[in-house]
Amino acid sequence: MIGIIDYGMGNLFSVSKALERMEVPYTIGERPEEILNCDGYILPGVGAFPDAMKALKEHGFIDFIKQKVDNQVPIYGICLGMQLLFEQSEEGGLTDGLGLFPGKIVRFSGEDEKGQTYKVPHMGWNQLELHGKSHSLMQNVGEEYVYFVHSYVVDTKSEDILFATADYHKTVPAIVGNNNLVASQFHPEKSGRAGIQLLENFCKRMVKQ
């Protein structure tokens, strides 16, 4: 059973519909006690980082998520849900994140190294560049195009957590992971075959039903 963490800032409809198409059982919880004993969890996210951290705290999910990670329960963060797993974000002033991955969330500058401006947010299809990591999440995932929508991007010096990157005027961490904690900056449920493969790998390879 997959537990979808509902703290009021996630696109639950598209994620739940993707799980239904894969015939993966799931439940949605607004409080930890509603999804206490699931086999794995998805942390979606849409919106601003400070609001999301505040909502996670109000719903009682901060300690819950950290405890599940400590207990090696699989968790998959999506988009803002991925960014929340890092140490800090500069969005709306410096805000502490969950601190489960090393790194900081910064805004795309909108200007490249040659002084040319580019569009922010990064929105649309972009190709993955795989980093050759051997992990069950990445089984049968190739250098395919996936769908991004974000104005802020992970800045991390820890290359060991990078499963895949993309290029949007700078290197964009696209898929990150460490043992049972994984995440993608793009929306897998909106990313065609590659995205569905990632969700299937998480739900059917990483999560012990």
Side-chain angles (χ1 to χ4, degrees):
M1 177 71 72
I2 300 295
I4 301 177
I5 297 173
D6 179 11
Y7 56 105
M9 294 186 63
N11 189 350
L12 306 184
F13 179 79
S14 61
V15 173
S16 61
K17 287 301 178 184
L19 296 182
E20 288 174 11
R21 289 195 297 271
M22 294 186 295
E23 299 182 344
V24 171
Y26 71 90
T27 185
I28 299 173
E30 296 181 2
R31 296 285 174 182
E33 57 268 24
E34 298 173 356
I35 50 174
L36 190 60
N37 296 312
C38 292
D39 304 293
Y41 295 89
I42 292 177
L43 176 65
V46 176
F49 191 104
D51 295 339
M53 284 302 300
K54 180 180 178 182
L56 283 178
K57 182 177 181 180
E58 290 175 347
H59 284 254
F61 279 122
I62 290 181
D63 289 340
F64 174 81
I65 292 170
K66 291 181 177 180
Q67 183 180 50
K68 292 298 180 181
V69 171
D70 287 343
N71 292 336
Q72 295 296 303
V73 178
I75 295 179
Y76 188 156
I78 296 175
C79 196
L80 177 61
M82 167 176 152
Q83 297 182 1
L84 296 171
L85 302 175
F86 285 82
E87 295 170 304
Q88 197 174 56
S89 173
E90 67 175 25
E91 183 175 5
L94 291 178
T95 302
D96 288 338
L98 294 171
L100 299 170
F101 288 133
K104 182 179 179 181
I105 312 304
V106 300
R107 183 174 172 82
F108 281 111
S109 67
E111 183 176 298
D112 64 21
E113 294 178 351
K114 298 180 180 179
Q116 300 295 313
T117 59
Y118 61 87
K119 184 179 178 181
V120 178
H122 171 206
M123 182 167 60
W125 295 82
N126 207 334
Q127 188 174 19
L128 295 174
E129 178 181 343
L130 303 187
H131 285 225
K133 298 293 194 300
S134 177
H135 192 282
S136 56
L137 182 73
M138 302 303 294
Q139 293 295 310
N140 301 315
V141 176
E143 295 193 330
E144 301 170 66
Y145 283 81
V146 292
Y147 188 73
F148 292 86
V149 183
H150 61 123
S151 298
Y152 288 79
V153 61
V154 170
D155 181 15
T156 180
K157 294 180 173 60
S158 297
E159 294 190 4
D160 58 319
I161 68 171
L162 298 181
F163 289 0
T165 55
D167 180 70
Y168 188 69
H169 306 281
K170 65 178 296 179
T171 298
V172 176
I175 306 174
V176 299
N178 183 14
N179 298 320
N180 283 343
L181 180 63
V182 297
S184 59
Q185 179 62 72
F186 57 90
H187 290 268
E189 77 280 10
K190 298 179 180 179
S191 294
R193 194 215 70 85
I196 294 302
Q197 183 67 63
L198 281 168
L199 286 174
E200 283 190 352
N201 288 345
F202 176 75
C203 295
K204 298 179 180 180
R205 294 177 184 266
M206 290 184 63
V207 178
K208 306 302 181 184
Q209 301 293 336

